[in-house]
Amino acid sequence: MTTLTIDHVSRWFGNVVAVNDITMSIDPGVTGLLGPNGAGKSTLINMMGGFLAPSAGKVSLDGRQVWRNEDSYRHIGIVPERESMYDFLTGKEFVLANAELHGLPDPGAAARRALATVEMEYAESRKIATYSKGMRQRVKMASALVHDPSVLLLDEPFNGMDPRQRMQLMELLRRMGEDGRTVLFSSHILEEVEQLADHIEVVVAGRHAASGNFREIRRLMTDRPHRYLLRSSDDRALAAALIADPSTAGIEVDLAEGALRVQAVDFPRFTELLPRVAREHGIRLLTVSPSDESLESVFSYLVAA
């Protein structure tokens, strides 16, 4: 049972703080690292994998520091998001090279097993330059698995995969988590994390925003204030009826849009209130549009909460 521990870790590049005082523990099973693009997920994964030194704090594997610790590297496999690869090699040559770099006793057999695990034997003799994005992701996965690591770190692994490839990879990661490996994958898509992760860590703007299972994270997101853009046949009457209810914290009239901007603080109550008020007052709803549903706005609320 292998645990990765991130203890008050920060990383800055000049004046830019990419990761800001993050503490978390990644235990056996599948953990999703969730956050919008630019949140610091890749930087954090590179520090977990020993590719990047923390500017402050420590990343450790079962109590041993990862950075510049050769023994730790033997237990970690990493699948980076970046596309740059040795395109002049075949898939088999690429995975075999990684097996040889790890000093495995039978690198050829290890490479064959890894390619079979990700179902890439059919294209192992082709140059990587001819691979689709999804195929590149799978051969990177094979190279990360070639030394049979107890920890697997994946940075946006589902990018570029077709639905069948995504299902295959999800099933593979699920099996690895069930077998007791420590698997962490990053994503900016909540639904990907929901389908796969036992536990979720949320990172926004380099900061640790939330931690828990999917239901706990979804509840945090749902319980935040919601903003809506409403257009109706009688905005004045609609505004008067809505503001009288405690589920609505404020209403602004947007003259430029010809609409109401409503802040709802009790989401379930408001979703029941709006159609009922419209029906009781004979008001026709023309537009009901959430105006703050981007991942950035949702996660920013979690940081500020």
Side-chain angles (χ1 to χ4, degrees), residues 114-135:
L115 286 162
T117 299
V118 299
E119 299 184 17
M120 278 291 287
E121 311 104 300
Y122 75 96
E124 65 180 21
S125 299
R126 286 172 48 186
K127 301 283 187 184
I128 293 175
T130 69
Y131 283 4
S132 68
K133 189 169 183 177
M135 294 169 70

PDB file of all heavy atoms in Angstrom, residues 114-135:
ATOM      1  N   ALA A 114       3.248  -4.528 -21.438  1.00  0.00           N
ATOM      2  CA  ALA A 114       2.710  -3.172 -21.305  1.00  0.00           C
ATOM      3  C   ALA A 114       1.880  -2.791 -22.527  1.00  0.00           C
ATOM      4  O   ALA A 114       0.806  -2.201 -22.400  1.00  0.00           O
ATOM      5  CB  ALA A 114       3.843  -2.176 -21.100  1.00  0.00           C
ATOM      6  N   LEU A 115       2.362  -3.125 -23.723  1.00  0.00           N
ATOM      7  CA  LEU A 115       1.622  -2.817 -24.946  1.00  0.00           C
ATOM      8  C   LEU A 115       0.316  -3.612 -25.010  1.00  0.00           C
ATOM      9  O   LEU A 115      -0.714  -3.102 -25.459  1.00  0.00           O
ATOM     10  CB  LEU A 115       2.490  -3.112 -26.173  1.00  0.00           C
ATOM     11  CG  LEU A 115       3.610  -2.098 -26.427  1.00  0.00           C
ATOM     12  CD1 LEU A 115       4.659  -2.682 -27.367  1.00  0.00           C
ATOM     13  CD2 LEU A 115       3.041  -0.806 -27.004  1.00  0.00           C
ATOM     14  N   ALA A 116       0.363  -4.852 -24.539  1.00  0.00           N
ATOM     15  CA  ALA A 116      -0.855  -5.664 -24.521  1.00  0.00           C
ATOM     16  C   ALA A 116      -1.868  -5.103 -23.530  1.00  0.00           C
ATOM     17  O   ALA A 116      -3.076  -5.126 -23.782  1.00  0.00           O
ATOM     18  CB  ALA A 116      -0.507  -7.108 -24.162  1.00  0.00           C
ATOM     19  N   THR A 117      -1.391  -4.570 -22.416  1.00  0.00           N
ATOM     20  CA  THR A 117      -2.279  -4.019 -21.398  1.00  0.00           C
ATOM     21  C   THR A 117      -3.116  -2.872 -21.946  1.00  0.00           C
ATOM     22  O   THR A 117      -4.293  -2.725 -21.618  1.00  0.00           O
ATOM     23  CB  THR A 117      -1.459  -3.528 -20.184  1.00  0.00           C
ATOM     24  OG1 THR A 117      -0.752  -4.638 -19.602  1.00  0.00           O
ATOM     25  CG2 THR A 117      -2.352  -2.900 -19.121  1.00  0.00           C
ATOM     26  N   VAL A 118      -2.510  -2.049 -22.823  1.00  0.00           N
ATOM     27  CA  VAL A 118      -3.239  -0.906 -23.396  1.00  0.00           C
ATOM     28  C   VAL A 118      -3.772  -1.212 -24.798  1.00  0.00           C
ATOM     29  O   VAL A 118      -4.233  -0.316 -25.499  1.00  0.00           O
ATOM     30  CB  VAL A 118      -2.347   0.351 -23.430  1.00  0.00           C
ATOM     31  CG1 VAL A 118      -1.920   0.736 -22.024  1.00  0.00           C
ATOM     32  CG2 VAL A 118      -1.130   0.161 -24.330  1.00  0.00           C
ATOM     33  N   GLU A 119      -3.679  -2.493 -25.198  1.00  0.00           N
ATOM     34  CA  GLU A 119      -4.200  -2.956 -26.481  1.00  0.00           C
ATOM     35  C   GLU A 119      -3.610  -2.176 -27.657  1.00  0.00           C
ATOM     36  O   GLU A 119      -4.322  -1.675 -28.519  1.00  0.00           O
ATOM     37  CB  GLU A 119      -5.736  -2.875 -26.495  1.00  0.00           C
ATOM     38  CG  GLU A 119      -6.381  -3.734 -25.424  1.00  0.00           C
ATOM     39  CD  GLU A 119      -7.901  -3.746 -25.498  1.00  0.00           C
ATOM     40  OE1 GLU A 119      -8.451  -3.362 -26.548  1.00  0.00           O
ATOM     41  OE2 GLU A 119      -8.539  -4.130 -24.501  1.00  0.00           O
ATOM     42  N   MET A 120      -2.277  -2.115 -27.684  1.00  0.00           N
ATOM     43  CA  MET A 120      -1.586  -1.417 -28.769  1.00  0.00           C
ATOM     44  C   MET A 120      -0.677  -2.338 -29.569  1.00  0.00           C
ATOM     45  O   MET A 120       0.132  -1.867 -30.371  1.00  0.00           O
ATOM     46  CB  MET A 120      -0.769  -0.254 -28.199  1.00  0.00           C
ATOM     47  CG  MET A 120      -1.563   1.009 -27.937  1.00  0.00           C
ATOM     48  SD  MET A 120      -2.123   1.801 -29.462  1.00  0.00           S
ATOM     49  CE  MET A 120      -0.577   2.486 -30.090  1.00  0.00           C
ATOM     50  N   GLU A 121      -0.836  -3.662 -29.391  1.00  0.00           N
ATOM     51  CA  GLU A 121       0.036  -4.569 -30.156  1.00  0.00           C
ATOM     52  C   GLU A 121      -0.160  -4.394 -31.654  1.00  0.00           C
ATOM     53  O   GLU A 121       0.791  -4.529 -32.429  1.00  0.00           O
ATOM     54  CB  GLU A 121      -0.237  -6.030 -29.786  1.00  0.00           C
ATOM     55  CG  GLU A 121      -0.265  -6.327 -28.310  1.00  0.00           C
ATOM     56  CD  GLU A 121      -1.684  -6.506 -27.812  1.00  0.00           C
ATOM     57  OE1 GLU A 121      -2.457  -5.544 -27.940  1.00  0.00           O
ATOM     58  OE2 GLU A 121      -2.011  -7.594 -27.299  1.00  0.00           O
ATOM     59  N   TYR A 122      -1.380  -4.093 -32.069  1.00  0.00           N
ATOM     60  CA  TYR A 122      -1.678  -4.012 -33.498  1.00  0.00           C
ATOM     61  C   TYR A 122      -0.913  -2.890 -34.191  1.00  0.00           C
ATOM     62  O   TYR A 122      -0.705  -2.929 -35.411  1.00  0.00           O
ATOM     63  CB  TYR A 122      -3.184  -3.810 -33.712  1.00  0.00           C
ATOM     64  CG  TYR A 122      -3.675  -2.415 -33.416  1.00  0.00           C
ATOM     65  CD1 TYR A 122      -3.814  -1.479 -34.433  1.00  0.00           C
ATOM     66  CD2 TYR A 122      -3.981  -2.029 -32.118  1.00  0.00           C
ATOM     67  CE1 TYR A 122      -4.261  -0.189 -34.160  1.00  0.00           C
ATOM     68  CE2 TYR A 122      -4.424  -0.758 -31.833  1.00  0.00           C
ATOM     69  CZ  TYR A 122      -4.562   0.160 -32.857  1.00  0.00           C
ATOM     70  OH  TYR A 122      -4.984   1.434 -32.575  1.00  0.00           O
ATOM     71  N   ALA A 123      -0.484  -1.871 -33.420  1.00  0.00           N
ATOM     72  CA  ALA A 123       0.215  -0.734 -34.025  1.00  0.00           C
ATOM     73  C   ALA A 123       1.634  -0.577 -33.488  1.00  0.00           C
ATOM     74  O   ALA A 123       2.271   0.444 -33.738  1.00  0.00           O
ATOM     75  CB  ALA A 123      -0.572   0.560 -33.765  1.00  0.00           C
ATOM     76  N   GLU A 124       2.155  -1.610 -32.825  1.00  0.00           N
ATOM     77  CA  GLU A 124       3.453  -1.456 -32.172  1.00  0.00           C
ATOM     78  C   GLU A 124       4.603  -1.265 -33.159  1.00  0.00           C
ATOM     79  O   GLU A 124       5.645  -0.699 -32.812  1.00  0.00           O
ATOM     80  CB  GLU A 124       3.739  -2.668 -31.282  1.00  0.00           C
ATOM     81  CG  GLU A 124       3.899  -3.972 -32.033  1.00  0.00           C
ATOM     82  CD  GLU A 124       4.190  -5.155 -31.119  1.00  0.00           C
ATOM     83  OE1 GLU A 124       3.892  -5.074 -29.918  1.00  0.00           O
ATOM     84  OE2 GLU A 124       4.740  -6.157 -31.629  1.00  0.00           O
ATOM     85  N   SER A 125       4.449  -1.718 -34.397  1.00  0.00           N
ATOM     86  CA  SER A 125       5.526  -1.598 -35.381  1.00  0.00           C
ATOM     87  C   SER A 125       5.436  -0.323 -36.215  1.00  0.00           C
ATOM     88  O   SER A 125       6.295  -0.076 -37.066  1.00  0.00           O
ATOM     89  CB  SER A 125       5.526  -2.823 -36.299  1.00  0.00           C
ATOM     90  OG  SER A 125       5.750  -4.007 -35.559  1.00  0.00           O
ATOM     91  N   ARG A 126       4.407   0.467 -35.993  1.00  0.00           N
ATOM     92  CA  ARG A 126       4.263   1.731 -36.717  1.00  0.00           C
ATOM     93  C   ARG A 126       5.031   2.847 -36.019  1.00  0.00           C
ATOM     94  O   ARG A 126       5.200   2.842 -34.795  1.00  0.00           O
ATOM     95  CB  ARG A 126       2.788   2.120 -36.817  1.00  0.00           C
ATOM     96  CG  ARG A 126       2.003   1.294 -37.817  1.00  0.00           C
ATOM     97  CD  ARG A 126       0.513   1.576 -37.739  1.00  0.00           C
ATOM     98  NE  ARG A 126       0.206   3.013 -37.739  1.00  0.00           N
ATOM     99  CZ  ARG A 126      -1.018   3.502 -37.568  1.00  0.00           C
ATOM    100  NH1 ARG A 126      -2.036   2.670 -37.380  1.00  0.00           N
ATOM    101  NH2 ARG A 126      -1.220   4.801 -37.587  1.00  0.00           N
ATOM    102  N   LYS A 127       5.495   3.826 -36.805  1.00  0.00           N
ATOM    103  CA  LYS A 127       6.156   4.993 -36.230  1.00  0.00           C
ATOM    104  C   LYS A 127       5.149   5.805 -35.412  1.00  0.00           C
ATOM    105  O   LYS A 127       3.980   5.945 -35.795  1.00  0.00           O
ATOM    106  CB  LYS A 127       6.737   5.879 -37.336  1.00  0.00           C
ATOM    107  CG  LYS A 127       7.758   5.200 -38.226  1.00  0.00           C
ATOM    108  CD  LYS A 127       9.097   5.076 -37.535  1.00  0.00           C
ATOM    109  CE  LYS A 127      10.164   4.557 -38.499  1.00  0.00           C
ATOM    110  NZ  LYS A 127      11.462   4.334 -37.828  1.00  0.00           N
ATOM    111  N   ILE A 128       5.610   6.340 -34.298  1.00  0.00           N
ATOM    112  CA  ILE A 128       4.743   7.171 -33.456  1.00  0.00           C
ATOM    113  C   ILE A 128       4.235   8.380 -34.235  1.00  0.00           C
ATOM    114  O   ILE A 128       3.136   8.877 -33.976  1.00  0.00           O
ATOM    115  CB  ILE A 128       5.492   7.598 -32.175  1.00  0.00           C
ATOM    116  CG1 ILE A 128       5.748   6.362 -31.295  1.00  0.00           C
ATOM    117  CG2 ILE A 128       4.714   8.647 -31.398  1.00  0.00           C
ATOM    118  CD1 ILE A 128       6.586   6.639 -30.066  1.00  0.00           C
ATOM    119  N   ALA A 129       5.008   8.829 -35.213  1.00  0.00           N
ATOM    120  CA  ALA A 129       4.594   9.977 -36.038  1.00  0.00           C
ATOM    121  C   ALA A 129       3.263   9.723 -36.737  1.00  0.00           C
ATOM    122  O   ALA A 129       2.539  10.661 -37.067  1.00  0.00           O
ATOM    123  CB  ALA A 129       5.676  10.295 -37.073  1.00  0.00           C
ATOM    124  N   THR A 130       2.917   8.443 -36.957  1.00  0.00           N
ATOM    125  CA  THR A 130       1.663   8.112 -37.658  1.00  0.00           C
ATOM    126  C   THR A 130       0.495   7.918 -36.700  1.00  0.00           C
ATOM    127  O   THR A 130      -0.625   7.676 -37.140  1.00  0.00           O
ATOM    128  CB  THR A 130       1.839   6.829 -38.495  1.00  0.00           C
ATOM    129  OG1 THR A 130       1.985   5.693 -37.612  1.00  0.00           O
ATOM    130  CG2 THR A 130       3.054   6.928 -39.403  1.00  0.00           C
ATOM    131  N   TYR A 131       0.738   8.013 -35.409  1.00  0.00           N
ATOM    132  CA  TYR A 131      -0.301   7.741 -34.420  1.00  0.00           C
ATOM    133  C   TYR A 131      -1.278   8.904 -34.285  1.00  0.00           C
ATOM    134  O   TYR A 131      -0.896  10.071 -34.385  1.00  0.00           O
ATOM    135  CB  TYR A 131       0.328   7.496 -33.041  1.00  0.00           C
ATOM    136  CG  TYR A 131       0.960   6.142 -32.836  1.00  0.00           C
ATOM    137  CD1 TYR A 131       1.040   5.210 -33.862  1.00  0.00           C
ATOM    138  CD2 TYR A 131       1.476   5.791 -31.594  1.00  0.00           C
ATOM    139  CE1 TYR A 131       1.626   3.969 -33.655  1.00  0.00           C
ATOM    140  CE2 TYR A 131       2.069   4.559 -31.371  1.00  0.00           C
ATOM    141  CZ  TYR A 131       2.142   3.643 -32.408  1.00  0.00           C
ATOM    142  OH  TYR A 131       2.726   2.430 -32.205  1.00  0.00           O
ATOM    143  N   SER A 132      -2.527   8.572 -33.999  1.00  0.00           N
ATOM    144  CA  SER A 132      -3.507   9.591 -33.605  1.00  0.00           C
ATOM    145  C   SER A 132      -3.206  10.023 -32.174  1.00  0.00           C
ATOM    146  O   SER A 132      -2.391   9.409 -31.467  1.00  0.00           O
ATOM    147  CB  SER A 132      -4.922   9.011 -33.676  1.00  0.00           C
ATOM    148  OG  SER A 132      -5.086   8.014 -32.676  1.00  0.00           O
ATOM    149  N   LYS A 133      -3.893  11.080 -31.731  1.00  0.00           N
ATOM    150  CA  LYS A 133      -3.670  11.562 -30.366  1.00  0.00           C
ATOM    151  C   LYS A 133      -4.029  10.495 -29.343  1.00  0.00           C
ATOM    152  O   LYS A 133      -3.313  10.290 -28.352  1.00  0.00           O
ATOM    153  CB  LYS A 133      -4.480  12.828 -30.118  1.00  0.00           C
ATOM    154  CG  LYS A 133      -4.147  13.518 -28.796  1.00  0.00           C
ATOM    155  CD  LYS A 133      -4.766  14.901 -28.703  1.00  0.00           C
ATOM    156  CE  LYS A 133      -4.350  15.585 -27.407  1.00  0.00           C
ATOM    157  NZ  LYS A 133      -4.873  16.959 -27.293  1.00  0.00           N
ATOM    158  N   GLY A 134      -5.130   9.790 -29.585  1.00  0.00           N
ATOM    159  CA  GLY A 134      -5.533   8.729 -28.669  1.00  0.00           C
ATOM    160  C   GLY A 134      -4.516   7.601 -28.605  1.00  0.00           C
ATOM    161  O   GLY A 134      -4.240   7.049 -27.534  1.00  0.00           O
ATOM    162  N   MET A 135      -3.931   7.250 -29.745  1.00  0.00           N
ATOM    163  CA  MET A 135      -2.912   6.205 -29.774  1.00  0.00           C
ATOM    164  C   MET A 135      -1.648   6.653 -29.051  1.00  0.00           C
ATOM    165  O   MET A 135      -0.999   5.856 -28.357  1.00  0.00           O
ATOM    166  CB  MET A 135      -2.597   5.826 -31.229  1.00  0.00           C
ATOM    167  CG  MET A 135      -3.760   5.160 -31.948  1.00  0.00           C
ATOM    168  SD  MET A 135      -3.479   5.018 -33.738  1.00  0.00           S
ATOM    169  CE  MET A 135      -2.185   3.774 -33.774  1.00  0.00           C
TER     170      MET A 135
END
